[in-house]
Amino acid sequence: MGPTDGETRPGRYDYCPWEFWSRSGKEERAAQLAHQAELVKRFAAEGGTAEFGDRVFVSPWAGVHTDSLRLGDRSYIGAHAVVTDEIAMGRNSTLNPFSTARGKVVMGDGVRVGAHTSLLGFNHGFAPDEPVHRQPLTSKGIVLGDDVWIGSHAVVVDGVTIGDHCVVGAGAVVTKDLPAWSVAAGSPARRLRDRRDTTTAGPGAPRPGPAAGSLDTRLERFARRSREQAGEVLGRCRPDGSWVERPGASPTVRAVCDAVEIADLLLGGPPPGEDRDALVERLRALQDPVTGLVAEFGGPSPSLDDHSAMYHILCAGYALELLGSRFAHPVRAVTELPADRLVERLDGLPWRTEAWRSGNWVDGAATALHFASPGSSPQTATLFGWLLTRADPRHGLWGAPDAKEGWRQPVNGFYRTSRGSFAQFGLPVPYPERTVDTVLTHSLDPAWFGPDRGTACDVLDVIHPLWLCARSTGHRAGEGRDWARGQLERVLARWQDGAGFSFALEPGERPDRLAGLQGTEMWLAVTWLLADHLGSGEALGYRPRGVHRPEPARAGLGRAD
């Protein structure tokens, strides 16, 4: 790999550093981490600083002599690069072999700097009364935004800011600022067109290349497509005025609520054809005035042992919030449950065999407490006390894996439990690093994940804990983003025109493989979580506000929103 392992010349990874973490062996990785540790030690001894994110690569054959250096996750510096002074690189950003970055240089996320390119964030004075070598240096600095591609042999001079999503042609000399989305080339470089305009490039104009298919662009296109088809997607699931999960299915409470969520997300209002006030009254009328629970259409009286009734606390309660209303009654079955009875309930849940069902119960109960009062309560304190003392410090979850499903049940149970409790109340989960380790282990299980595997629930069970834990720890963040990107690529290709998403993104005629409201509602939210985990959530132009909203429902126990 380089001087650290006794070789006399650079190896493959020094010239192809993007391959290192996917192809290197244990000894090579250990040597690279040792090299990074040595850089940190050397810089500290010299009065400087060095910070390295997850899965970073710095070639030992690069000339790295900075006062401060920061590399975000999955960033790299190739062989024979010259890096001095003050350099900050975001996530997934690169200085390719033989490039130069000197002076003050700040690079955003997703920046590619081609070979032999120079980022010169300093300048000499050249007044005529003194030789140049005696004149002072100045440094305004260089700023490169997110998703910027600088071609090989380009030069960027001091004081220049290159906006987000820009592409600079090979050999260009950039002497002035470039606004976002610019495609520029020449010496001095001039702006040729907007990168988003792929129809007006004349003969000889540089093509945007791979960056034209950027993740943000594809997310924007997906969101536009789904908004344009939202009316059709919803209309096919209301054949006779009643909401159904998919054509031919029976009406359900969840179908009504999913329609409300989809319409709010994509259309910014109630479902087409529905009067807001009338829909609010229908949803409020579903609640049992004594228990506060909501039964299924035509079902028996709801109880705390009813799985559907516990989920209806979420979906019906949030649907009413999206429509500007709320439940007519508190969910007294939960809010008036004595603390000792609540503990009995929690202890009696089948955590070791059905962690998913157990998490569903906690999700519903915690949401009932959220809806009841902006402040804390004896039941709320009891619930969080139980969760904090029962979480397993070895893996961060409640429950345990089994031979049949591995970690699937406890990971699902963790998502449901933490969504209604820690996430909804704005509190950190007990063991975020151990949780990330366990969830990433589960994410690699081929029984549940692959090109044609991974239901909306399975993917949500992984991405929400990773997204939530990333709020408090950067532990293994690069691996989590790699997984998220792979899932996002799969999801963006599975939208069915005029029908939306199926719950399971697999071919076939099983009900869960047919497009419907549940699959559409869940995958739209999952898509946002995956994209936001990659820093691209805003490209979708929507943000979940119901069951899957990212913001906590309150800032912390004892305080209102």
Side-chain angles (χ1 to χ4, degrees):
M1 183 174 65
T4 57
D5 58 8
E7 292 189 12
T8 59
R9 57 190 178 84
R12 179 182 182 87
Y13 298 132
D14 298 291
Y15 293 119
C16 303
W18 52 87
E19 296 182 353
F20 180 78
W21 287 102
S22 61
R23 299 181 57 172
S24 60
K26 182 183 296 186
E27 292 184 2
E28 292 167 315
R29 295 185 180 193
Q32 170 60 205
L33 294 175
H35 175 55
Q36 294 176 26
E38 180 60 30
L39 288 176
V40 172
K41 181 179 178 181
R42 173 164 63 85
F43 287 5
E46 297 172 354
T49 60
E51 300 175 28
F52 299 112
D54 193 37
R55 296 167 75 86
V56 163
F57 179 86
V58 180
S59 170
W61 295 89
V64 181
H65 301 281
T66 55
D67 299 317
S68 66
L69 176 66
R70 186 177 77 248
L71 272 70
D73 297 341
R74 297 194 63 81
S75 291
Y76 58 75
I77 298 174
H80 307 300
V82 177
V83 185
T84 67
D85 305 303
E86 301 176 26
I87 309 299
M89 300 169 61
R91 298 176 299 174
N92 295 291
S93 292
T94 66
L95 288 169
N96 275 326
F98 299 99
S99 60
T100 296
R102 304 186 66 183
K104 297 177 182 178
V105 178
V106 176
M107 299 163 56
D109 295 336
V111 175
R112 290 292 184 269
V113 176
H116 301 280
T117 284
S118 295
L119 308 177
L120 305 177
F122 71 99
N123 208 346
H124 280 282
F126 56 94
D129 56 344
E130 286 283 349
V132 169
H133 73 274
R134 292 181 179 174
Q135 300 206 26
L137 294 177
T138 60
S139 181
K140 299 178 181 178
I142 291 171
V143 177
L144 308 182
D146 296 336
D147 182 34
V148 171
W149 178 21
I150 309 292
S152 295
H153 292 277
V155 176
V156 181
V157 303
D158 188 37
V160 165
T161 294
I162 297 178
D164 295 346
H165 314 296
C166 285
V167 176
V168 176
V173 179
V174 186
T175 61
K176 296 182 180 179
D177 292 353
L178 292 174
W181 295 104
S182 295
V183 176
S187 179
R190 63 184 183 88
R191 188 174 187 272
L192 302 176
R193 61 180 176 86
D194 190 298
R195 176 180 158 192
R196 294 166 290 190
D197 183 1
T198 60
T199 62
T200 59
R207 298 180 63 83
S214 71
L215 178 60
D216 281 8
T217 299
R218 287 182 291 135
L219 289 170
E220 290 169 1
R221 290 172 181 166
F222 162 77
R224 182 168 59 249
R225 181 183 180 190
S226 60
R227 280 191 289 269
E228 291 171 351
Q229 298 179 21
E232 186 179 359
V233 169
L234 290 165
R236 69 189 286 270
C237 294
R238 192 172 179 244
D240 58 0
S242 298
W243 291 101
V244 297
E245 150 59 13
R246 68 183 67 83
S250 300
T252 62
V253 173
R254 176 163 186 164
V256 181
C257 301
D258 284 343
V260 172
E261 293 250 12
I262 294 168
D264 181 82
L265 204 64
L266 299 180
L267 302 176
E274 287 279 13
D275 177 79
R276 183 190 298 268
D277 293 339
L279 182 55
V280 165
E281 289 308 308
R282 293 210 314 273
L283 285 171
R284 284 166 61 90
L286 296 174
Q287 195 182 26
D288 180 86
V290 177
T291 65
L293 298 170
V294 175
E296 187 55 84
F297 294 139
S301 297
S303 73
L304 291 179
D305 296 315
D306 183 344
H307 160 67
S308 294
M310 295 305 290
Y311 185 75
H312 291 164
I313 298 173
L314 279 66
C315 67
Y318 278 118
L320 283 166
E321 281 198 351
L322 293 175
L323 294 168
S325 185
R326 58 183 300 169
F327 277 135
H329 313 282
V331 185
R332 295 189 179 94
V334 175
T335 61
E336 296 182 4
L337 188 67
D340 59 341
R341 294 287 305 280
L342 176 57
V343 171
E344 288 179 9
R345 279 271 177 182
L346 293 167
D347 285 339
L349 292 171
W351 290 102
R352 299 192 68 82
T353 57
E354 294 182 279
W356 171 82
R357 186 175 295 277
S358 303
N360 176 73
W361 196 93
V362 172
D363 200 358
T367 302
L369 295 172
H370 152 63
F371 286 145
S373 170
S376 185
S377 69
Q379 290 82 4
T380 305
T382 298
L383 173 64
F384 277 94
W386 191 95
L387 293 173
L388 287 167
T389 56
R390 300 307 198 281
D392 194 320
R394 296 170 298 176
H395 52 66
L397 314 187
W398 301 271
D402 60 33
K404 181 180 178 181
E405 294 188 289
W407 284 104
R408 192 189 196 202
Q409 281 277 340
V411 168
N412 181 281
F414 178 89
Y415 159 64
R416 295 301 305 275
T417 298
S418 63
R419 191 222 71 85
S421 57
F422 294 95
Q424 185 163 227
F425 283 78
L427 298 173
V429 297
Y431 304 105
E433 289 82 10
R434 300 293 74 76
T435 298
V436 169
D437 289 338
T438 306
V439 170
L440 284 176
T441 296
H442 173 60
S443 75
L444 300 176
D445 189 336
W448 312 113
F449 301 101
D452 282 322
R453 293 190 179 183
T455 67
C457 272
D458 285 321
V459 178
L460 178 60
D461 294 345
V462 171
I463 188 55
H464 187 275
L466 292 179
W467 182 93
L468 180 63
C469 290
R471 312 273 77 75
S472 57
T473 179
H475 181 60
R476 300 179 68 181
E479 293 171 71
R481 282 192 286 270
D482 286 347
W483 186 88
R485 183 176 293 277
Q487 291 298 318
L488 196 55
E489 295 290 349
R490 182 172 74 103
V491 175
L492 291 178
R494 301 302 175 91
W495 174 270
Q496 300 177 37
D497 285 333
F501 285 113
S502 58
F503 177 75
L505 301 184
E506 305 174 33
E509 295 300 318
R510 282 185 358 199
D512 65 347
R513 299 178 185 183
L514 301 176
L517 295 182
Q518 180 183 355
T520 301
E521 185 275 324
M522 291 192 69
W523 281 116
L524 286 172
V526 169
T527 298
W528 187 91
L529 284 165
L530 291 167
D532 195 67
H533 200 54
L534 295 168
S536 296
E538 292 184 2
L540 288 165
Y542 67 72
R543 188 180 185 90
R545 300 198 309 131
V547 171
H548 301 108
R549 66 181 176 191
E551 292 82 11
R554 60 182 67 183
L557 293 178
R559 293 187 293 169
D561 284 345

